Every structure is written in structure tokens, then in C-alpha cells.
Amino acid sequence: MGTLGRAIYTVGNWIRGSGQALDRFGYLLQRSHRFEEHLSRHRTLMNVFDKSPLVDKDVFVAPSASVIGDVQIGKGSSIWYGCVLRGDVNNISVGSGTNIQDNSLVHVAKTNLGGKVLPTTIGDKVTVGHSAVIHGCTVEDEAFVGMGATLLDGVVVEKNAMVAAGSLVKENTRIPSGEVWGGNPAKFMRKLTDEEIAYISKSAENYINLAHIHAAENSKSFDEIEVERALRKKYARKDEDYDSMLGIVRETPAELILPDNVLPEKTTTRVPTTHY
């Protein structure tokens, strides 16, 4: 951003601040000494009763997510946009390197009809797909829960097991290691291949890298966002062939360069995957 652009940006800030001051002054002229500024009451991390979330400093919790009450989340995990983890009547434990994707719900049960205490335990390097529901159950390390799947009270998904997208897993069902279950109600479909089991770990690693990008973006100040927006607008019109003809070399600003671990590789080895 050039000198003129920064000056315009500064003047814009001054005008906006002046407008807010005039608004407050108007309240005073109307004999109203209270200025009301309506703020969202959403809290990403929220206590309930005497319980508060315990979240590692390396965890990404999206701004629109809600982590409530007795919830523990390990290093490198990510809780994505619109998720709710509600540990009010029991506790929720999420391991390290696990991703719980957008709009998923994790809740607990104080007891069930059989009198069992049912917290929710999710292990390390677990992938929980978008809009899944996990209620009072256990998902062991390196398991995979597909998009829109529902796991009811007492379900156990063993290590390296997979629940297909859209499945309903009935109460107290155990899904053995290395198997795919799907349907409503969920039933055994087939064994996972070695490539698919490897993909479960790879999926978790991909989300660890992606979470770092989102965490960095969400931590930017408004000034940084405006500067980057101006840079993107400027460099969107860059024509490398035209620049080369004129002998001009324009380096892309560091702010616009994505880390290597989220860029598509030039030569990639395709990992076989199964979509449900």
C-alpha cells in the first residue's frame, strides 16, 4: 500500500471514529445518558457451573464454535466453525491432533437407561466429519467418523475403524478395528484396506496444517486485513508475460504466500480413498 493509500485509510478511520463520537453526543442531547452498543453474547470458551474448558495453547478453536463446561482438548487439535462441545452434565475429552469439523455436535449423558455414566472420549488423530453427532460414546485413536454420522450413547469406535457418512450407530454398538460400518442402523460393510487406514492418519495431519492457517488468519488485526486486501487487489492484475516483456520483476509479498504444507504438490502420489 502506497503513501496515498495509507493516508486515505487513516482518514477513513478518523471519519468512522468521529461518526461514533457524534452518535454518542446525540444521545446526550436527547437527555439519554446511556449509550447502548449491542454485542454478540457468543463465547467460544464458556464455563458452566464450576467447570471450565481446559484447552491446550496449540489448539485452534474457530470463532463461531462453542466449547462449554468440562471439556479437555489436547495439543494440535482443531474445533471448526459452528461446532458445539457441551460438557455440562458430564465430561468431554479430546486427544491430540484430532479434528472435529464444521457444525458437529459433541455432548454427553449423565446416565442412560442401564445406569451407565456416559462421558464422551475422543482419542488422538481422530477425524470427525462435518455435521456429525457424537453423544456419550468413545472414539479411539486414529478412527474416522464420516460427515453427518450419528453415534448414540455407549457406542465404541475402535482404533482404525471407520463410520460411513450419514450412518446412524445404535446404542452400545462396538465397531471393531479395521472395519467400515454404514447405514441406518449401521452394520458391517467390509474391511478397510491398508491404504485407507493410512489415509485416516494422513487426514488428521492435513487438518493440523490447515488449522495453523486458519488460526493465523483469525488472529490478524483489522489493519492487517485491510493491508492484505489492498495487496491482493494490486497483485490480482499482475501479468507475468507482460512484466517479462517490459523487463519488470515484481515479487509477491510475503503476506500473500501460503505455507508449503497447504499448497498442492507438483508431483503427488494418489492415495486411494473410498467415499460414502
Side-chain angles (χ1 to χ4, degrees), residues 68-113:
I68 302 165
D70 192 359
V71 181
Q72 184 171 346
I73 306 176
K75 182 177 180 180
S77 289
S78 53
I79 313 299
W80 291 83
Y81 304 93
C83 286
V84 176
L85 279 68
R86 180 155 59 92
D88 43 12
V89 296
N90 217 319
N91 66 85
I92 296 171
S93 175
V94 179
S96 301
T98 287
N99 62 92
I100 300 178
Q101 297 173 18
D102 315 71
N103 296 319
S104 293
L105 169 66
V106 181
H107 193 221
V108 290
K110 192 171 184 179
T111 58
N112 66 355
L113 292 175

Side-chain angles (χ1 to χ4, degrees), residues 57-63 80-81 208-222 224-225 228 232 254-255 257-259 261-262:
K57 61 182 178 60
D58 193 38
V59 169
F60 168 64
V61 180
W80 291 83
Y81 304 93
I208 291 172
N209 295 331
L210 190 58
H212 290 154
I213 305 305
H214 282 259
E217 185 66 31
N218 279 282
S219 67
K220 289 178 181 176
S221 66
F222 286 112
E224 289 173 320
I225 293 170
E228 186 173 308
R232 290 194 184 281
E255 295 92 333
I257 299 175
L258 288 172
N261 57 15
V262 296

Side-chain angles (χ1 to χ4, degrees), residues 144 157 160-164 175 179-181 192 196 200 274 276:
F144 190 101
V157 182
N160 292 332
M162 179 180 288
V163 179
I175 299 179
E179 295 185 0
V180 185
W181 284 48
L192 284 166
E196 288 168 336
I200 294 175
T274 303
Y276 297 98

